[in-house]
Amino acid sequence: MKKNKETSNPKVQWAKFIVVLVLYLLFLYWVGSWWGLLVVPFIYDAYISKKIKWQWWKESEGPVRFVMSWVDALVFALVAVYFINLFFFQNYVIPSSSLEKSLLTGDYLFVSKVSYGPRIPETPLTMPLTQHTLPVIECKSYIEWPHWDYRRVKGFGKIQLNDIVVFNYPAGDTICTNPRYQAYDYYQMCYGIGRQMYPNHPDLDSISPMQRRQVFQEIYALGRSAIAGNFPEYGEIGSRPTDRRENYVKRCVGLPGQTLQIKNRVVYLDGKPNKEPDNVQYTYWVKLKRHLTDEELKEMAITQEDLMSLNQNGYMPLTNMAVERMKKSPDMVESIELNTEASTLDTYPLNGNMHWTRDNYGPIWIPKKGASIDLTLDNLPIYERPIKVYEGNELDVRDGKIFINGKEAKSYTFKMDYYWMQGDNRHNSADSRYWGFVPEDHIVGKPIFIWWSSDPDRSGFSGIRWNRLFRMVDNIK
């Protein structure tokens, strides 16, 4: 068998080896890990010494050569995709309407990992093209050992106010293992079920912070034990490492160190109103006089999901533009009114008594790396989860005193930056108002552009949103 002249030319092979080696060393310098030097002898062998027969199957005949050629191509493709998705970019599809009408259900995003810096994987042994579960057989797609501590490689910049960001779902650390319920908020379920089972409901405003804490602990314990013992359809209670939790996409409306407050739906930062997204949505009670035409639905960007909400609940999400359009058409609507109904029971912190709602929330200080806060039993529910879950401390309250890692603590200095994320579909978005801060180690990347967009309400070519293809996400304000 004749050898390719280029592959048998020592000068060409040395040139290839040097180029590959330099690029590889630059990559190791970027990620800040020199363990990869162990691979250098194998790179040298592949180009220069050729002691190992990396492609031994090329000397075989018949089915062995045919099958191994496909195996070789498949393995190379999987490794390349894993490497690219891990450090450079990843595709992401918008599965829900929480960011409508800025990002739409059916938008496919090109998400840059290098914008904020890629994370070194905490669970490196995982099947490419999966997040946490293998399809069909529905088992874990990753192996939890080895588990590496959080570390992020230097990126092009930091998260800016009003950036749209992809991140891992913070409350996804604990799940019900039944695939049907894995997307549910486990903590919301525990407190919701626990409240129904709690024997009496004291006036939380009339008891001490220590007594309130005890009440919420009992409510949570009731809900947790009920899910574990009385609701077998939920499956067992499981957990997920940070980088294997669900991917969410929201808009960052609060940065580390800022004090956020929502007053009558408007977000205020350090006392100043933050600009609302151009396509922000709220729900409205609507009574229609007639069916809306397909042209009207397109003009006002109303989806079948919106109409379903109207039919089932009597309200639907609308942009300011859609509201004005309806009000100018007396033949279209009988009445339209903003939905101001809001619960105080489902907002973060679930173990607090803040009387906050989705439309009137806070004020709440967003933790910043290196900054300290005085701890009291009143504000502990807000910062307990970052201290215990995200930063790995032992926290306990005894005799009205707070103990961190066994020592009494009257203050705490945070080890990470945190962010406040909200959807533009403000009345139909599970976001920081319900599960709190997003730690920096949960940040995945920044959406750059929409590379494909298909309308789930329409099929064929009519379902392709041609005007959204290759649209830059930064232009969506």
Side-chain angles (χ1 to χ4, degrees):
M1 183 179 295
K2 294 183 179 179
K3 292 185 178 180
N4 185 291
K5 291 183 178 180
E6 183 178 305
T7 59
S8 62
N9 189 327
K11 292 183 179 180
V12 173
Q13 292 301 100
W14 272 102
K16 288 183 177 180
F17 168 69
I18 291 172
V19 170
V20 171
L21 181 63
V22 169
L23 292 175
Y24 184 66
L25 293 176
L26 288 174
F27 172 76
L28 294 182
Y29 175 77
W30 179 47
V31 300
S33 175
W34 297 108
W35 284 102
L37 291 175
L38 296 174
V39 178
V40 171
F42 296 99
I43 298 176
Y44 176 82
D45 180 78
Y47 285 96
I48 306 301
S49 60
K50 301 185 184 297
K51 299 294 183 182
I52 302 174
K53 292 186 177 180
W54 299 97
Q55 294 183 324
W56 55 268
W57 47 269
K58 285 189 174 182
E59 298 178 0
S60 303
E61 300 294 339
V64 173
R65 179 169 182 166
F66 175 79
V67 171
M68 287 306 301
S69 65
W70 279 99
V71 170
D72 179 74
L74 181 61
V75 170
F76 176 80
L78 289 176
V79 171
V81 167
Y82 174 79
F83 180 81
I84 292 170
N85 284 353
L86 195 63
F87 290 101
F88 296 99
F89 69 85
Q90 187 173 357
N91 291 321
Y92 180 83
V93 61
I94 300 293
S96 69
S97 59
S98 66
L99 265 171
E100 293 204 7
K101 297 294 186 285
S102 299
L103 292 179
L104 307 181
T105 303
D107 281 348
Y108 287 76
L109 306 177
F110 178 96
V111 177
S112 166
K113 298 289 187 73
V114 295
S115 292
Y116 306 132
R119 294 174 298 182
I120 300 299
E122 295 180 38
T123 49
L125 299 181
T126 181
M127 178 64 68
L129 302 177
T130 64
Q131 178 60 17
H132 49 66
T133 305
L134 286 174
V136 183
I137 58 177
E138 294 182 339
C139 67
K140 287 182 179 180
S141 63
Y142 60 93
I143 300 175
E144 297 195 34
W145 187 92
H147 186 89
W148 298 339
D149 293 336
Y150 163 68
R151 189 167 66 85
R152 187 178 296 276
V153 178
K154 185 176 179 60
F156 292 146
K158 295 183 178 180
I159 296 176
Q160 302 297 315
L161 188 63
N162 297 320
D163 274 0
I164 295 177
V165 181
V166 175
F167 56 91
N168 295 120
Y169 178 40
D173 59 314
T174 303
I175 59 168
C176 295
T177 54
N178 187 329
R180 291 177 56 193
Y181 298 99
Q182 285 186 9
Y184 285 58
D185 188 318
Y186 173 77
Y187 300 101
Q188 291 276 1
M189 289 195 300
C190 285
Y191 281 101
I193 295 172
R195 287 191 189 94
Q196 297 175 16
M197 301 178 62
Y198 199 68
N200 52 62
H201 295 271
D203 181 2
L204 296 175
D205 291 323
S206 64
I207 59 179
S208 69
M210 189 64 190
Q211 290 173 316
R212 284 201 299 269
R213 180 178 179 83
Q214 182 65 33
V215 168
F216 280 112
Q217 286 180 331
E218 292 172 359
I219 289 174
Y220 176 74
L222 281 172
R224 183 181 175 89
S225 61
I227 290 175
N230 300 335
F231 297 94
E233 68 269 20
Y234 288 130
E236 298 179 355
I237 298 173
S239 63
R240 283 183 182 145
T242 300
D243 58 345
R244 296 297 112 200
R245 296 169 194 171
E246 292 284 359
N247 286 328
Y248 271 39
V249 57
K250 308 286 181 186
R251 189 182 297 274
C252 176
V253 300
L255 296 173
Q258 292 182 319
T259 297
L260 177 141
Q261 186 173 12
I262 303 173
K263 294 187 289 186
N264 295 325
R265 299 170 302 283
V266 177
V267 174
Y268 288 78
L269 297 172
D270 298 328
K272 298 179 181 180
N274 185 34
K275 179 186 178 299
E276 285 193 322
D278 294 338
N279 291 311
V280 68
Q281 286 195 134
Y282 298 102
T283 55
Y284 289 80
W285 298 102
V286 179
K287 290 184 179 180
L288 294 174
K289 287 185 177 180
R290 59 173 174 80
H291 290 293
L292 301 177
T293 66
D294 193 56
E295 290 74 16
E296 288 171 337
L297 293 176
K298 287 183 178 179
E299 178 188 353
M300 293 183 288
I302 295 175
T303 66
Q304 292 301 315
E305 181 182 347
D306 299 336
L307 292 177
M308 186 181 299
S309 173
L310 179 63
N311 293 332
Q312 293 179 348
N313 307 311
Y315 57 76
M316 66 176 172
L318 295 170
T319 61
N320 293 332
M321 179 275 294
V323 172
E324 293 302 316
R325 172 69 173 84
M326 285 187 172
K327 288 182 176 179
K328 291 178 180 178
S329 303
D331 69 309
M332 183 186 298
V333 293
E334 179 179 328
S335 64
I336 179 169
E337 182 181 354
L338 180 68
N339 178 14
T340 57
E341 293 184 0
S343 171
T344 62
L345 298 177
D346 57 357
T347 53
Y348 179 87
L350 295 171
N351 61 336
N353 184 45
M354 307 301 178
H355 303 296
W356 296 343
T357 70
R358 64 188 183 186
D359 292 337
N360 290 279
Y361 190 97
I364 186 170
W365 179 77
I366 304 171
K368 181 178 181 179
K369 183 178 181 179
S372 301
I373 190 171
D374 294 332
L375 290 179
T376 67
L377 290 181
D378 285 321
N379 68 11
L380 184 61
I382 298 174
Y383 301 106
E384 182 172 5
R385 185 167 174 82
I387 294 171
K388 286 180 60 176
V389 180
Y390 303 141
E391 301 197 357
N393 297 285
E394 294 182 2
L395 189 150
D396 193 17
V397 177
R398 300 192 299 269
D399 300 324
K401 297 180 180 180
I402 301 170
F403 292 84
I404 297 178
N405 298 326
K407 298 181 180 179
E408 184 179 354
K410 296 183 178 180
S411 65
Y412 181 77
T413 302
F414 291 94
K415 303 172 186 176
M416 289 192 293
D417 283 329
Y418 292 79
Y419 302 88
W420 195 262
M421 306 288 186
Q422 289 187 199
D424 294 353
N425 195 355
R426 293 289 166 84
H427 284 174
N428 190 26
S429 172
D431 51 37
S432 286
R433 293 169 295 177
Y434 301 97
W435 33 254
F437 311 107
V438 176
E440 65 174 68
D441 67 343
H442 284 57
I443 301 299
V444 174
K446 179 179 181 179
I448 301 299
F449 62 84
I450 302 167
W451 64 270
W452 181 257
S453 183
S454 57
D455 189 342
D457 295 337
R458 295 171 175 83
S459 59
F461 282 102
S462 63
I464 301 174
R465 304 186 183 108
W466 298 100
N467 63 326
R468 298 186 66 80
L469 301 190
F470 300 102
R471 183 177 179 183
M472 301 301 293
V473 174
D474 273 347
N475 295 333
I476 303 174
K477 300 297 184 183

